[in-house]
Amino acid sequence: LTSVEFTTTEAGMATLEVYNLVGERVLFNTLGNLPAGLNRANLDLSGVQAGIYLVNLNAGGETTTMRITKQ
């Protein structure tokens, strides 16, 4: 379990998607309607193998991609 902290400029629906490096989506979370400002989401990667993953965060009309490594 890890925590992802992010800032949104506008309130709105938010989703979090995790992809492996082959491009397969391995996790999808709907975070709901979040307020503008600093937000935090928990990410449970217990069901995926060790490796490098790309996390797409869609919130407040913006998309951010982060790289994470699960050991």
Side-chain angles (χ1 to χ4, degrees):
L1 189 66
T2 189
S3 182
V4 178
E5 194 171 275
F6 55 95
T7 303
T8 59
T9 56
E10 296 181 24
M13 289 296 294
T15 60
L16 199 121
E17 299 173 288
V18 179
Y19 291 89
N20 61 22
L21 293 182
V22 180
E24 299 169 326
R25 185 167 73 178
V26 296
L27 185 67
F28 178 83
N29 284 343
T30 300
L31 304 176
N33 201 7
L34 299 179
L38 185 63
N39 291 283
R40 178 176 289 150
N42 290 326
L43 186 58
D44 183 1
L45 296 174
S46 61
V48 299
Q49 297 179 3
I52 299 171
Y53 294 89
L54 299 176
V55 178
N56 285 343
L57 173 66
N58 302 299
E62 299 177 7
T63 300
T64 302
T65 301
M66 299 166 270
R67 189 184 87 155
I68 60 171
T69 302
K70 180 183 177 187
Q71 298 188 4

